[in-house]
Amino acid sequence: MKKYRISVLFLMLAAGFLRSQTLNWAALNKKERHILNANIGTEYGVIFGLGYGYKLNTGLFPIITGVEFSVPFGSTLLDDFKVKAGANIRWIKIRDFQFSTRVQGIFRRFENENVVISNFGLDMAGTIGYYRPKWFAGIEAGFDKAIVSHFEHTAHYKEIFPEVKNGWYEPSTGGNFYYGVQGGYSFSHQEIYLKLGNIVSQDFKTKPQLPFLVQIGYNYKF
C-alpha cells in the first residue's frame, strides 16, 4: 500500500504541472490592474487552464495576486483538476533585466477506478529574464511539493484489498523540481507566450514518462 500511495502521488504531481501565468513585466502600465489568462499545454495529454490576476501598484516591488484553474481534456470533466492561488513579486529591475519570484498554494484532485485523491501542496519558483515593452524572454526554475493528501478508495479497490484504509496521509515523497525557458510578444493590452520545460523528482533520479512541458498562453490586460 505504501508503494501504491507513493506512485499515485508522483503521477498526480507530474500530471498537474501546467506552469503558472506568465507575463511581460515591461508591458504592464499603471492603468492595467486586471489580467485574464487562457492557456493550453501537453502533459500526459492536453490540459486547458484559465487564470485571473490583479496587479498591486506597490512602488519598487510590483505584486500580482491571482488564482488559476486547470483541467485535462477527457471524457469526464472535473474528475481531475487543479486550483492554485498566490502571488508573483518582481524584486529586481536592472535596466531591461528583471527577477521575480512566485509562491502559490495548490489544491489538486485525481480520480481513477481505484481511488480519489485530494491533495494540498505548495509551488515556489523564480524567474529571471530580459523584458522589453514588445517582447520578453527568460528562464524559470521551481519546486512543487505535495504536503498532505486524502485517499478515498473505491468499492472496486476494496474488494481486491479489503484491508485498505481511507484518510489523510503525509507523503514520504511527492516533490518535483522543474525548469524551462519562456518567451512572448506583447501588443495592445495583450500578449501571447510560449513555455518549454522539464521535470525531475526531488531525488534528481526519477522522471515521469513524459518529462517535457509545453504551454501556449494568452493574456488580456485592462
Side-chain angles (χ1 to χ4, degrees):
M1 275 303 301
K2 183 177 180 180
K3 291 183 177 179
Y4 164 74
R5 292 197 299 266
I6 291 173
S7 63
V8 172
L9 268 173
F10 184 82
L11 175 62
M12 181 180 172
L13 279 169
F17 243 83
L18 266 187
R19 293 274 55 83
S20 199
Q21 186 182 86
T22 299
L23 56 90
N24 184 352
W25 289 100
L28 288 172
N29 61 53
K30 292 184 178 180
K31 295 182 180 180
E32 295 174 345
R33 306 294 292 270
H34 308 276
I35 305 170
L36 302 179
N37 171 262
N39 58 72
I40 189 170
T42 57
E43 300 162 14
Y44 289 101
V46 180
I47 299 177
F48 175 73
L50 295 172
Y52 168 77
Y54 182 77
K55 179 176 178 288
L56 303 174
N57 291 323
T58 57
L60 292 177
F61 305 110
I63 301 174
I64 297 176
T65 61
V67 61
E68 302 168 31
F69 177 79
S70 60
V71 295
F73 283 95
S75 57
T76 305
L77 189 64
L78 300 182
D79 55 349
D80 303 336
F81 66 86
K82 178 176 65 174
V83 179
K84 303 174 71 173
N88 194 354
I89 305 175
R90 200 280 312 280
W91 297 101
I92 299 174
K93 182 180 185 299
I94 303 176
R95 295 189 177 180
D96 295 324
F97 290 94
Q98 303 192 37
F99 172 72
S100 61
T101 61
R102 185 188 71 248
V103 178
Q104 293 176 299
I106 308 173
F107 175 77
R108 286 172 276 226
R109 185 183 187 275
F110 171 85
E111 180 179 354
N112 61 21
E113 64 178 4
N114 295 317
V115 66
V116 177
I117 306 176
S118 301
N119 167 260
F120 290 94
L122 187 66
D123 184 4
M124 301 171 289
T127 303
I128 185 170
Y130 187 81
Y131 296 86
R132 299 284 294 172
K134 292 294 185 180
W135 63 275
F136 69 96
I139 57 175
E140 179 186 54
F143 182 62
D144 185 328
K145 178 67 176 180
I147 298 175
V148 62
S149 299
H150 183 270
F151 286 74
E152 183 72 30
H153 297 88
T154 64
H156 165 75
Y157 190 81
K158 290 180 178 179
E159 290 178 359
I160 303 173
F161 301 100
E163 75 283 0
V164 69
K165 294 182 179 180
N166 298 328
W168 291 96
Y169 295 91
E170 293 184 11
S172 57
T173 186
N176 287 322
F177 290 97
Y178 58 88
Y179 55 92
V181 297
Q182 57 185 250
Y185 175 72
S186 302
F187 59 99
S188 182
H189 306 286
Q190 304 169 74
E191 55 202 18
I192 55 175
Y193 63 86
L194 173 66
K195 303 184 73 171
L196 302 172
N198 206 344
I199 304 171
V200 63
S201 68
Q202 62 186 29
D203 62 5
F204 294 102
K205 297 178 181 179
T206 309
K207 286 190 175 184
Q209 185 176 1
L210 183 64
F212 303 105
L213 303 172
V214 179
Q215 185 186 70
I216 299 173
Y218 166 81
N219 294 329
Y220 180 76
K221 299 168 288 184
F222 62 98

